[in-house]
Amino acid sequence: MVVVVTKKNQVTIYLSDEIRDRVKAIAEEQRRSFSFVVEELLIKGLAATETGEEGKDQA
């Protein structure tokens, strides 16, 4: 049985092996959970998208 300590929604996503491995490496390096890192990346991506900054790093 899985006990979730937060009241966050659960979602299912499909990731390529490369993306999964990159996120997993960040999580291990920062000693955080995979879910925490995914949420942080989504928050940063949403903020960049909402401020019109998406794609600026890709020159």
Side-chain angles (χ1 to χ4, degrees):
M1 182 168 104
V2 176
V3 178
V4 179
V5 295
T6 62
K7 293 191 177 202
K8 295 181 179 180
N9 294 309
Q10 182 177 353
V11 298
T12 301
I13 60 171
Y14 295 95
L15 301 173
S16 68
D17 289 343
E18 177 189 1
I19 293 173
R20 184 201 60 215
D21 293 345
R22 289 170 66 186
V23 173
K24 188 175 178 181
I26 293 168
E28 289 173 358
E29 179 181 305
Q30 296 180 0
R31 302 178 96 182
R32 297 288 189 168
S33 71
F34 186 89
S35 293
F36 177 86
V37 173
V38 169
E39 183 177 14
E40 289 296 303
L41 291 170
L42 285 169
I43 289 168
K44 290 176 184 178
L46 287 168
T49 299
E50 291 168 354
T51 60
E53 295 182 14
E54 76 279 2
K56 284 188 177 181
D57 293 341
Q58 300 173 2

